[in-house]
Amino acid sequence: MVLLQIAEPGAGPEPNTQRKVAVGIDLGTTNSLIAHFDGASLQVLQDGSGNPSLPSVVYFGASDVRIGQAAMAQASAEPANTIASAKRMLGRARGEFEDDPYVTLAPGDTLAFATAAGAKTPVEVAAAILAALRERAEPQLDAPISGAVITVPAYFDDAQRQATRQAAELAGIKVLRLLNEPTAAAVAYGLDEQAEESSVLAVYDLGGGTFDISLLRMRKGIFEVLATGGDSALGGDDFDRALADHILAELALANPSSTQRRKALQSARDAKEALTEQESVTLDVSDLAEALSEITIDRSVLESLIAPFIERTLHACRETLADAEVAAVDRVVLVGGSTRTPAVRQAVAECFGLEPLCSLDPDQVVAMGAARQADILVGNRAGDEALLLDVIPLSLGLETYGGLVERIIDRNSTIPVARAQEFTTARDGQTGLIVHVVQGERERVEDCRSLAQFELKGIPPMVAGAARIEVTFRVDADGILEVTALEQETGARSDVVVKPAFGLSEGQITEMLKAGYEHAGEDMQARKLGEAQVEAEGLLAGLRAALAKDGDLLSDAELRDLEQNAAALEAVMAGNQPEAIRDATESLGRATETFAARRMDRSIQAALQGVAITDLESDQEQGDGR
Ligand code: ADP
Ligand code: MG
């Protein structure tokens, strides 16, 4: 007997020994990188002139698109067509940037830049950068890329992660996984493979325009994000501006033109980077001012100019440590080009009382870790499934009757995670249900952030409280939330993948958490009040319906007594005393007991009569037949 090998038409038998080519991509605010791990060595891929970093800048001209250095060269001539730092706008709403002096928005409802090539969304800008990286890598690796791990800040929310995925799709890149940047840095140092039982790691990431501090816990190769903090408007660019102001002051240029300002900024950046290696630097300023041809800047001058910014990062570190209730960390990893500055390294070492890990290039470490993870995920290292776990930054829940939040997944739950809970209808005969998904730590819907709303239809009409609707929240490994509502009786089903209208910055997350703690007492009160009001409303509605139907069972005096009790309840319901509402609800409940008993008697009688009539009828029929 001959065994035939069956292959898809045209595909041919695939040799299973072939390594799949997967890459890691650090899609940065200032610079982006692409790296490859071939199982033995790690390689950060460079451009034609030996540059590993691709500036995250895209120029959309009338007739061509340029990316990176070539785009930056257009910045001064055509600022509106040259888009930088688009990452901070990924997955955000237009409203957040309407007053931003640095962006020219295209008309319309969506967040898009007005360029000579038409309206371009932040997703399209990111896609252009990703496509350029792919085009850089494929010829060097001599193979098409079969998948990529793309890194995102740990605080990126669902919308921001979705937008990153969309950008990759547009660039023709299959996303194996979105990986948190600090986790990627830890992986690059091989900390996921260390023997220690458990340790806490701080990742200090100071880039061009952003500062992120993340605390990770590692337990037997599993990472968990304990807390994130930082400042989305603090980075090396601030160092540049401070030094540029100093240069302009030295040159006695009190009112510099925008060209002079730009030149000073470029000189400042060059000087700052040179001062990382040298104790002092001499700048040629002949094209900036007539008075002087060159000035010398000492490292100590730069250090005193940037000290306040460094102090702000340390403040954020201390806050994040306190927030996570972490007293000490076992390791600190430096990430981001600005951590090359010696003063930054020193300050971080003093703050944590530890010599930080910095043997890997801080600009490249994130891309390196992503490349390692990509190699595992693409299936090149079978049986070596490193699990990378992250947590969700804010609790997820849904709106219940009375504007209250029922929490389904608690903040800091490790993802992926799925939780289900059963809900029911609030009104008799209710056939639809609005599922309103919210995010936050507060008890009232109005104080939380609304993520999505969808309707479950086709609930069979039943009395209030009889329907059983199971709502499931599922957060996948990328942090994307899917909510499903399922009516148990009919199997009616409805779901939504959450694509919130705008994202949250880490600052906003901190704000929401703070508000949650600060208002905890007040929120409990609000919750009690809401619950008491819902109960009271239910009783009043039931009573009104019963009176309309069986009011004749009561004497005038009894009716008056009930009405007085109901009016008393209505009066306290308008107030904000949950105890008073509960007391009034209870006394109205007691007052209705006799009425309820009589109604019960009447319905039993009616039922018995019903039985009797049919029985009689059938007896008669039988009798007739006899
Ligand atoms: P991002 O993560 O925001 O994309 P990077 O990690 O690439 O940013 O960091 C960019 C910043 O690092 C810029 O402000 C740049 O000036 C700064 N930088 C790069 N090299 C050096 C250096 N040798 N010394 C000091 N700062 C540097
Ligand atoms: Mg970065």
Side-chain angles (χ1 to χ4, degrees), residues 238-240 242 301-311 341 343-344:
D238 294 299
F239 298 1
D240 301 348
V301 170
L302 173 70
E303 287 179 351
S304 63
L305 289 170
I306 65 176
F309 301 113
I310 298 177
E311 182 42 43
T341 300
V344 172

Side-chain angles (χ1 to χ4, degrees), residues 8-32:
E8 249 182 274
E14 207 182 321
N16 56 9
T17 49
Q18 198 179 318
R19 264 194 103 76
K20 291 206 184 105
V21 176
V23 292
I25 297 178
D26 171 5
L27 181 63
T29 312
T30 317
N31 292 301
S32 297

Side-chain angles (χ1 to χ4, degrees), residues 26 28-33 53 56 205-210 235-237 240 269 272-274 276-277 335-341 362-363:
D26 171 5
T29 312
T30 317
N31 292 301
S32 297
L33 297 96
S53 293
S56 304
D205 181 350
L206 189 60
T210 53
D237 296 347
D240 301 348
R269 188 167 180 168
K272 172 193 77 175
E273 292 180 8
T276 289
E277 303 296 331
V335 177
S338 299
T339 63
R340 288 167 180 269
T341 300
D363 323 293

Side-chain angles (χ1 to χ4, degrees), residues 28-62:
T29 312
T30 317
N31 292 301
S32 297
L33 297 96
I34 186 164
H36 173 63
F37 181 62
D38 66 4
S41 66
L42 243 169
Q43 198 190 354
V44 180
L45 303 170
Q46 305 176 342
D47 67 5
S49 28
N51 247 325
S53 293
L54 176 72
S56 304
V57 183
V58 183
Y59 163 74
F60 292 100

